[in-house]
Amino acid sequence: MFAPTSPGPLPDLTRPDVGAALFSTWSVGTPERQRATVDAIAAAWDSRPWPAPELLSYNLYAGTDGDTLMHHSQWADEAAYHAFFRDQRQQRNDAIDSAVPDIKRLGLAYYRHYRGFQAPAAAQGDTTDPGLFVVVEIDFDDPDPQVRRSWVDLVIEALESEPDPGLLSADFHLIANGERHLSTDRARVLNYARWTDVEAYEAALAAGGPRDGGSSAWDRVRDFPARVGASSRSYRFRRSFVRPSASASASAS
């Protein structure tokens, strides 16, 4: 296992100035290449000026599978990301690819935050720092966004009535329509969940979730007719890059 000496702050997924939350996944093959890619990304970003004031934060996670990396960026609006994509993204990727060739980029999707669940302080106990991040993508066969909102509302109702002791928070995002290269043609919800540690998450998986005969809210979540599938990956936080403050930018110039 590895960790940067100064990974930086965790992102606030609920900040109101985020107009576009982008999530993408890379496959690099091995834990050694994971480490090398994180180092290459850090070098590419630390050696260049901050790309745009509309980029609020860029956050990097390493998959527990030893293969994947997740990128989560917070933008003030989607148009600013597309300007970055046209003018600056390839230069950074070229530098990363030069250090770690043959990275597979598996797709990029654009979301907006809808609702979040925060575990009560009493339930969190002494552990408030997440040791594991789990990202779940849930697909629906109905394109109406209200269908996805209704499902998220049910999940949060169930979490509030029957929380898992290892779950610190869960933030639900609705996929948004973007330009073609964003691959946002699916009716999808993304749940970004923070867990105390891998043991708590694995215990929740082993328990199979709330049992039959539990709360009616969980019954409705399970039986929701438009939900057609889900996939998940677990990660550990590796690095954040945060927009410099105006005062820091002025002093640097």
Side-chain angles (χ1 to χ4, degrees):
M1 186 182 300
F2 71 101
T5 55
S6 179
L10 292 173
D12 176 4
L13 275 71
T14 65
R15 57 185 295 177
D17 52 347
V18 176
L22 274 66
F23 291 85
S24 67
T25 308
W26 292 1
S27 171
V28 296
T30 67
E32 293 75 20
R33 283 172 55 85
Q34 258 191 348
R35 290 191 286 270
T37 307
V38 170
D39 291 342
I41 291 168
W45 280 76
D46 289 339
S47 63
R48 289 169 170 79
W50 192 248
E54 295 87 358
L55 176 58
L56 309 177
S57 78
Y58 163 46
N59 309 281
L60 183 62
Y61 303 77
T64 58
D65 56 9
D67 168 34
T68 51
L69 291 168
M70 183 180 75
H71 309 257
H72 165 221
S73 57
Q74 296 178 303
W75 291 82
D77 56 60
E78 185 185 0
Y81 167 75
H82 290 302
F84 166 76
F85 181 89
R86 289 190 303 269
D87 302 333
Q88 300 186 56
R89 178 177 179 266
Q90 193 59 49
Q91 297 173 4
R92 295 171 192 248
N93 280 359
D94 287 346
I96 296 163
D97 289 342
S98 177
V100 186
D102 301 320
I103 294 171
K104 297 178 181 177
R105 293 174 171 87
L106 304 181
L108 174 69
Y110 155 45
Y111 292 84
R112 290 194 181 95
H113 186 268
Y114 172 52
R115 288 188 66 185
F117 165 80
Q118 183 76 31
Q124 294 184 23
D126 296 331
T127 304
T128 58
D129 293 329
L132 187 73
F133 298 79
V134 178
V135 173
V136 185
E137 294 174 316
I138 306 99
D139 288 317
F140 296 78
D141 63 5
D142 189 326
D144 184 357
Q146 186 55 46
V147 171
R148 283 166 273 160
R149 294 189 192 100
S150 297
W151 182 83
V152 172
D153 293 345
L154 284 176
V155 174
I156 291 180
E157 178 186 341
L159 287 171
E160 289 173 344
S161 63
E162 197 175 331
D164 189 291
L167 179 64
L168 298 173
S169 65
D171 283 279
F172 295 88
H173 300 69
L174 303 182
I175 204 164
N177 292 325
E179 292 186 8
R180 184 174 300 172
H181 74 270
L182 291 179
S183 302
T184 56
D185 57 340
R186 294 185 177 91
R188 175 171 286 178
V189 169
L190 182 144
N191 174 20
Y192 171 111
R194 294 170 171 170
W195 289 80
T196 55
D197 50 43
V198 65
E199 291 79 14
Y201 176 62
E202 288 178 349
L205 288 180
R211 301 297 184 185
D212 291 338
S215 69
S216 59
W218 281 118
D219 289 338
R220 285 181 285 157
V221 169
R222 279 190 296 266
D223 298 336
F224 197 83
R227 186 173 65 90
V228 294
S231 61
S232 66
R233 285 192 174 103
S234 58
Y235 300 93
R236 291 188 174 90
F237 179 63
R238 287 294 171 250
R239 181 71 193 268
S240 70
F241 304 85
V242 182
R243 182 183 64 180
S245 65
S247 58
S249 300
S251 62
S253 62

